[in-house]
Amino acid sequence: MRWRFRQISDLAVLWAGHRAVPVTLVALVALWAAAGLSFSFPRQWFLLTNMMGTLIIFFILLLVQHSQNRDMVALQTKLDELIRSSKAGNHWIAAEKKEAEAIEEMRQQHHDQMPETMN
């Protein structure tokens, strides 16, 4: 089930980010407005427009957030592995899970340890 969701999510994010989508959406909005104009914009038309717009935006927002979360976890894992394999201190591993103040202290401590020529 998770594999299937990830596959569908990746496909939807790829589709939503395609360069043809804005042109298609403008055409659909023009058709939708023309249809509303031909029916003199009944109350149900406005309700349906608001409902569908909200649902589509919410759905795409969730898909993009899911994709970004997965990408960020992969990026943090790669960075942690680079830290492990380098001469950097292991205290930098999983820094993203610390409080903002602790991260700023670590950054300031690292900055203070740099030679003057690099500042």
Side-chain angles (χ1 to χ4, degrees):
M1 179 70 179
R2 293 185 103 177
W3 176 81
R4 187 59 133 178
F5 175 75
R6 189 175 73 222
Q7 190 177 26
I8 293 169
S9 172
D10 288 344
L11 184 64
V13 168
L14 182 68
W15 175 83
H18 194 273
R19 64 180 171 215
V21 171
V23 174
T24 305
L25 289 177
V26 168
L28 285 173
V29 167
L31 287 172
W32 187 253
L37 188 59
S38 69
F39 294 117
S40 301
F41 298 108
R43 173 181 240 158
Q44 293 83 3
W45 186 84
F46 283 113
L47 291 174
L48 185 62
T49 301
N50 288 336
M51 182 187 69
M52 292 304 292
T54 302
L55 288 175
I56 289 169
I57 289 171
F58 185 67
F59 180 67
I60 290 176
L61 175 75
L62 289 176
L63 288 175
V64 169
Q65 186 66 45
H66 172 74
S67 177
Q68 285 181 340
N69 287 345
R70 195 177 65 241
D71 290 348
M72 189 56 66
V73 168
L75 180 64
Q76 291 300 332
T77 302
K78 291 174 185 179
L79 287 173
D80 288 348
E81 186 57 32
L82 284 172
I83 291 169
R84 274 189 206 90
S85 65
S86 72
K87 294 179 184 177
N90 284 345
H91 62 280
W92 286 102
I93 293 177
E96 73 278 1
K97 295 179 182 173
K98 297 181 180 183
E99 296 292 327
E101 296 83 20
I103 294 171
E104 182 58 30
E105 287 175 17
M106 289 171 61
R107 190 194 66 74
Q108 189 61 41
Q109 182 183 15
H110 176 71
H111 184 71
D112 292 343
Q113 292 174 355
M114 288 174 48
E116 279 300 315
T117 57
M118 297 186 82
N119 287 339

